[in-house]
Structures are given as structure tokens and as C-alpha cells.
Amino acid sequence: RWGKVASAVTATQLINNYKVDEIIFTGVSGSLDASLKVGDIVIGTELYQHDMDTRPLFNRFEIPLLGKTSFQTSNNLKLENAVENFSNNIITYIQSKKLSQFSIDKVQVKKGVILSGDQFISSKEKVLELKHELPDALCVEMEGAAVAQVCYEYEVPFSIIRIISDNANDDAPIDFPEFTKSVACKYAKGIVENYIKTI
């Protein structure tokens, strides 16, 4: 489900009920980087809750009582290789006609900062604000940092992969439901299949 609370609940249930060894989170996000286009992939290295602001009690973005402003992901080289293998062979997972529908040609893979918050970012002004505060951010979504916090507190390794679905502004022409149904879910499936082969 959407949002930080829903994703935190799911992560907690997975950890408590199934004793998982690691959590890998996939989904879509809006680009905050001009070089990232629809269909590109971001492998998260660090996650911030961009809507966490308890000033003047704590610094902006700092999680009260944890003393952390961000959460690091696991350095999962096998997962990174799985992403690269998928992106280099995407045509075996998604029909070229469907890729063309969303102007996806060569899939770019980047590693970097991901922002999370209970807001759907859809204005250039908000994008500029986020980039001003956290200039290294590559994309923005609504769940990842919450799951990262749960994994940090339970000491469970965590990785996140996001597929760019839009440019986080008001002139993104994408058919979002169609993209998630016919493209993004196949990215997730393909990446996980490649990852399982390595373990």
C-alpha cells in the first residue's frame, strides 16, 4: 500500500512473522535529476524522510530519538549486478512496443540518494525546494525511508530499487496506472529473478 505508515507496517510484519534475512524494496518514483528519464533505475544508497521536520527540537530530517537524518542501504553487489543484467536484457522481459509507448530506449542505472515522504510530488517548485535542501537526491517516492528505518531498528539488511515513472512535476504526460501495470512490475520481477539466480 502507499505511504510511510503502510510500508512500515508491512516491513514489520515481514520481519516478525517470517524472520526474513533481508528486505529488497522495489517500486516507482519521480525523478529529481535531469539526467534520469522514464524507465531508468535508481539503486538507493541513502534514504531521507524529506517531510520529517521537528525544528527547533531537532535538526531538519533528523529522526527523533534515533539521532539519524538518513539510513544507509546494504552494499549488495549481487543485487546491483542483477539490476545491470536486467537493464542490458530488458527486451526479453518487456515487449519493444510497450517500451516504445513510454519512450524507453536504453535503460540508465544510477546509484544514489532517495527521498521519501507522504506527499505526491508534482510541482517544479517542490522539486527545486527538495534539491536545494538535499542536492544529491536522485528521486522521490512515498515509502522507502520508512522501510529503511524499520530495517535499521530491527538490524535487517535493506536494499531499494526504484524505477523512474515521471519527472515529479506537473507536465509529466505518463499514464501512471498503465506504466505500473505493464512496465514497472515487469522490471521488479525481472530484477528479482536475476538476483535469485545469483544466490
Side-chain angles (χ1 to χ4, degrees), residues 2 28-29 102 120 165-166 173-181:
W2 288 20
V28 297
S29 65
F102 294 100
F120 188 82
S165 62
D166 59 85
I174 192 168
D175 181 343
F176 185 78
E178 175 63 18
F179 181 81
T180 56
K181 175 184 169 184

Side-chain angles (χ1 to χ4, degrees), residues 33-102:
D33 185 292
S35 69
L36 286 168
K37 308 300 182 192
V38 171
D40 287 342
I41 299 172
V42 174
I43 300 172
T45 57
E46 187 176 13
L47 290 101
Y48 289 81
Q49 294 183 40
H50 69 77
D51 57 353
M52 177 59 73
D53 191 350
T54 57
R55 294 175 294 181
L57 300 176
F58 300 94
N59 294 324
R60 188 171 185 187
F61 310 122
E62 184 176 339
I63 308 300
L65 307 183
L66 286 186
K68 293 182 68 67
T69 56
S70 66
F71 297 93
Q72 307 289 323
T73 59
S74 303
N75 186 22
N76 192 332
L77 295 178
K78 288 183 178 179
L79 183 60
E80 291 178 26
N81 289 336
V83 172
E84 289 290 348
N85 288 339
F86 169 81
S87 64
N88 292 332
N89 298 285
I90 191 171
I91 198 69
T92 63
Y93 296 91
I94 305 171
Q95 293 180 347
S96 56
K97 180 180 178 181
K98 187 58 67 175
L99 293 172
S100 297
Q101 179 183 341
F102 294 100

Side-chain angles (χ1 to χ4, degrees), residues 74-141:
S74 303
N75 186 22
N76 192 332
L77 295 178
K78 288 183 178 179
L79 183 60
E80 291 178 26
N81 289 336
V83 172
E84 289 290 348
N85 288 339
F86 169 81
S87 64
N88 292 332
N89 298 285
I90 191 171
I91 198 69
T92 63
Y93 296 91
I94 305 171
Q95 293 180 347
S96 56
K97 180 180 178 181
K98 187 58 67 175
L99 293 172
S100 297
Q101 179 183 341
F102 294 100
S103 302
I104 299 170
D105 184 15
K106 181 171 172 45
V107 175
Q108 181 182 195
V109 178
K110 278 194 170 188
K111 292 173 60 178
V113 174
I114 295 176
L115 308 184
S116 306
D118 283 323
Q119 303 168 7
F120 188 82
I121 306 302
S122 60
S123 74
K124 292 177 181 176
E125 292 76 19
K126 187 63 178 180
V127 167
L128 290 173
E129 177 192 331
L130 292 174
K131 288 295 283 184
H132 174 74
E133 294 293 336
L134 296 161
D136 293 333
L138 294 179
C139 63
V140 61
E141 36 88 310

Side-chain angles (χ1 to χ4, degrees), residues 13 23 31 51 83 106 151 186-187:
Q13 287 180 318
I23 287 183
S31 172
D51 57 353
V83 172
K106 181 171 172 45
C151 290
K186 293 182 179 178
Y187 270 65

